[in-house]
Amino acid sequence: MMEFQHEAIFCIVNDGYSDAVMEVAKKHGARGGTVISARGTATKDAEKFFGITVQPEKEIVMILVPSQHKDDILHALYKEVGLDSAGQGIAFALPVDNVVGIAQTKDEA
């Protein structure tokens, strides 16, 4: 099985909560991220199923992190900006097999 050195974390939150996402992620090893404005398309059935009110305006925060930080960041995001919070965020990670254009810190080398 291939071992990945980096993971891309995607966190989708209500509009205005990307700063909270980055604050949490940085406390757990992230160095930065990219925010994309987005629009959700959930139906009323999805709102009933999840027991939440869906705001259509969203922000997607993409964060590239060393693999060893992924679990800590995901757990912290769930706790601080997850579905039970005002941010109503969901987060997931995908493995990244190649990275160029970033400088490694001593911890990552």
Side-chain angles (χ1 to χ4, degrees):
M1 184 170 163
M2 186 175 193
E3 188 172 320
F4 296 97
Q5 292 183 359
H6 292 87
E7 299 272 343
I9 295 175
F10 293 82
C11 188
I12 305 166
V13 290
N14 288 335
D15 189 40
Y17 288 88
S18 59
D19 287 341
V21 169
M22 283 311 309
E23 185 178 314
V24 169
K26 285 181 177 180
K27 284 181 188 175
H28 295 276
R31 292 175 26 201
T34 300
V35 179
I36 299 173
S37 294
R39 181 166 162 70
T41 61
T43 64
K44 291 295 177 190
D45 290 336
E47 287 183 354
K48 288 179 186 175
F49 179 77
F50 289 111
I52 60 172
T53 301
V54 176
Q55 288 183 310
E57 299 305 317
K58 303 287 182 189
E59 293 176 323
I60 301 170
V61 184
M62 298 182 303
I63 310 163
L64 183 67
V65 298
S67 295
Q68 68 263 27
H69 296 298
K70 175 195 68 168
D71 288 337
D72 288 342
I73 293 171
L74 284 176
H75 290 293
L77 290 172
Y78 172 75
K79 190 174 181 182
E80 299 293 327
V81 293
L83 283 176
D84 292 335
S85 74
Q88 293 182 329
I90 63 168
F92 59 91
L94 298 172
V96 176
D97 64 354
N98 286 306
V99 176
V100 296
I102 62 170
Q104 291 183 326
T105 64
K106 291 178 185 177
D107 294 345
E108 298 168 351

